[in-house]
Amino acid sequence: MKDPRKARRQLIAIIKEIAAGNYTDDIMELTGPQYPDEIQEVAEAVGMMMVKIEAREFHLEQLYETIKHNALRTVTSIAQALGARDLYTEGHGERVGAYAERVGRRMDLGDRECERLRVAGMLHDIGKIGFSDRMFQNDDMAPDEAMMQEIRSHPQWGHDILAGLDFLGPALEYVHAHHERLDGRGYPRGLCDGQIPLGARIIAVADCFDAITTDRPYQKGRPPEDAFRILGEISGTALDEKVVECFVREVEENGLES
Ligand SMILES: [Fe+2]
């Protein structure tokens, strides 16, 4: 039989551990017959309580994942509604998200960050939902000042639309900053260099590449080699050199879709 005073101290130490959130199985040892009866009883009750708390936490985590998934689906549907308004936008978000995720994987950014890149890529142009109708008409008309103002505002609008979705975390900033340039001549805030998060730089490269290689009102889609050359020309001024290098290598090695 264990010394009751020692057993009590052991029990208190384990309860403190559990209270701190470290669910240890050590409590089960104290339910053995070598421990005094009252210690066994308390240990059994604490063990049971621990199991119930763990089960509830697991349930809450699942619930959070479901809510996150549903919220994401809702927002994605809104983003797809944009595709219905502007045929040229159809599929653009998905492709940019897929490219951005691949670059993230190639840069060893970790699963959570790669998931953020995919989501941010998918939603990066959601602010265009705020464009006035004339932005989607008269394709060959050069945009006037008011139209330019709308174009320059869409990353901010996108940020404002998504700001309530806590689970987006840093991805919100990637949407906000996807048209910023390293030399500070981007929009909407004119950020430069280190002020632009890596995630936004990755989305920017993927966005440019997809815009060049797919059909647009003002141009026919061009082959990847042309896009690589254009990315190279604005690398270091508009786009991040390392990201461009990584993107080109990824597409050269694994193709447009992988
Ligand atoms: Fe955009």
Side-chain angles (χ1 to χ4, degrees):
M1 177 67 72
K2 293 266 181 186
D3 172 31
R5 284 179 62 190
K6 265 193 179 167
R8 224 174 8 246
R9 277 204 299 274
Q10 207 182 335
L11 176 66
I12 291 168
I14 294 175
I15 291 176
K16 280 183 176 169
E17 271 291 294
I18 295 172
N22 305 318
Y23 301 138
T24 163
D25 283 338
D26 292 356
I27 193 75
M28 298 322 288
E29 194 205 320
L30 275 64
T31 61
Q34 69 278 30
Y35 284 88
D37 287 351
E38 68 273 24
I39 297 288
Q40 287 182 39
E41 263 182 59
V42 176
E44 275 168 19
V46 171
M48 190 60 74
M49 189 176 73
M50 194 178 81
V51 169
K52 284 187 177 169
I53 292 173
E54 274 186 302
R56 276 189 200 171
E57 283 185 358
F58 178 69
H59 181 65
L60 278 178
E61 270 170 34
Q62 280 186 319
L63 207 62
Y64 176 75
E65 283 302 314
T66 309
I67 292 170
K68 189 174 122 179
H69 182 74
N70 288 347
L72 203 55
R73 271 181 47 181
T74 309
V75 176
T76 311
S77 305
I78 299 171
Q80 280 162 353
L82 175 66
R85 239 184 136 192
D86 174 14
L87 281 181
Y88 291 100
T89 313
E90 210 179 8
H92 172 65
E94 278 83 358
R95 287 192 300 272
V96 169
Y99 288 136
E101 184 182 357
R102 285 169 61 187
V103 171
R105 298 224 176 272
R106 202 168 179 111
M107 293 178 105
D108 285 327
L109 298 184
D111 285 347
R112 282 190 68 182
E113 184 59 16
C114 290
E115 158 83 5
R116 278 189 207 118
L117 286 167
R118 191 181 60 80
V119 171
M122 212 162 62
L123 302 175
H124 73 284
D125 270 342
I126 197 166
K128 287 187 177 173
I129 207 114
F131 278 177
S132 55
D133 287 341
R134 70 190 196 112
M135 293 292 285
F136 300 107
Q137 298 153 357
N138 303 323
D139 285 346
D140 8 274
M141 197 181 85
D144 59 23
E145 185 47 37
M147 288 165 103
M148 285 308 295
Q149 192 52 45
E150 288 194 37
I151 291 169
R152 284 194 291 261
S153 300
H154 83 270
Q156 181 67 50
W157 292 341
H159 168 274
D160 297 349
I161 289 168
L162 301 171
L165 299 174
D166 291 344
F167 66 82
L168 287 179
L172 182 64
E173 247 332 278
Y174 305 166
V175 173
H176 201 179
H178 77 273
H179 281 295
E180 299 292 354
R181 294 169 46 115
L182 295 186
D183 59 12
R185 291 171 52 225
Y187 59 85
R189 291 171 290 173
L191 303 179
C192 53
D193 294 316
Q195 294 175 311
I196 309 167
L198 177 61
R201 300 170 189 217
I202 293 176
I203 305 279
V205 173
D207 188 20
C208 279
F209 178 81
D210 192 67
I212 298 166
T213 51
T214 50
D215 291 339
R216 297 278 161 140
Y218 44 86
Q219 65 161 39
K220 191 105 187 82
R222 298 163 72 167
E225 296 67 35
D226 284 13
F228 293 156
R229 187 180 43 76
I230 296 168
L231 292 184
E233 283 167 9
I234 54 173
S235 169
T237 48
L239 302 175
D240 184 305
E241 280 174 301
K242 266 199 185 138
V243 176
V244 171
E245 212 183 291
C246 186
F247 183 94
V248 171
R249 223 174 308 139
E250 171 61 29
V251 176
E252 275 179 345
E253 283 176 25
N254 299 315
L256 293 178
E257 287 167 46
S258 88

